[in-house]
């Protein structure tokens, strides 16, 4: 798959995942709070859609190549043991 197509497909899946997550949260809130008498069965399914949306988001990030954590993040650079350049390790 060409890089441009991978970026587009990754962006599509990330966007779809975001829409599914927001839609699931929105339906759950509307079903619980409003007077529309929406079926509670679908409200439980909407909670599951949050996890499905997160999975779609991760698939899109994997396809688009955005799943790696960059070293420019201060917390990761200074406190994550995998990213630190410590040559002074205690001998056990």
């Amino acid at each position: 798959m060409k890089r441009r197509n991978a970026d587009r497909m990754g962006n599509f899946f990330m966007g779809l995942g975001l829409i599914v997550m927001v839609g699931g949260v929105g339906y759950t809130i509307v079903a619980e709070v409003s007077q529309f008498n929406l079926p509670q069965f679908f409200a439980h399914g909407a909670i599951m859609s949050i996890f499905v949306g997160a999975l779609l988001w991760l698939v899109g990030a994997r396809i688009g190549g955005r799943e790696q954590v960059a070293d420019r993040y201060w917390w990761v650079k200074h406190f994550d043991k995998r990213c630190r350049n410590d040559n002074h390790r205690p001998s056990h």
Side-chain angles (χ1 to χ4, degrees):
M1 185 181 312
K2 291 187 178 181
R3 185 71 195 152
R4 185 169 67 176
N5 290 339
D7 281 341
R8 286 182 182 170
M9 187 177 287
N11 287 340
F12 171 75
F13 279 118
M14 288 175 72
L16 183 65
L18 180 65
I19 290 169
V20 169
M21 284 188 287
V22 170
V25 169
Y27 186 87
T28 303
I29 291 171
V30 168
E32 293 293 329
V33 175
S34 72
Q35 302 296 327
F36 293 132
N37 293 326
L38 297 173
Q40 286 296 319
F41 175 74
F42 292 128
H44 296 300
I47 293 173
M48 183 64 182
S49 73
I50 297 168
F51 297 103
V52 171
L55 183 64
L56 285 171
W57 178 279
L58 291 174
V59 166
R62 178 72 178 177
I63 291 172
R66 293 184 180 93
E67 80 280 359
Q68 297 176 351
V69 176
D71 283 67
R72 66 178 175 260
Y73 295 112
W74 187 86
W75 183 265
V76 172
K77 194 181 214 180
H78 288 86
F79 292 103
D80 193 354
K81 292 179 182 179
R82 296 171 293 173
C83 297
R84 291 177 65 182
N85 193 9
D86 282 342
N87 293 331
H88 307 292
R89 297 182 187 209
S91 304
H92 287 101

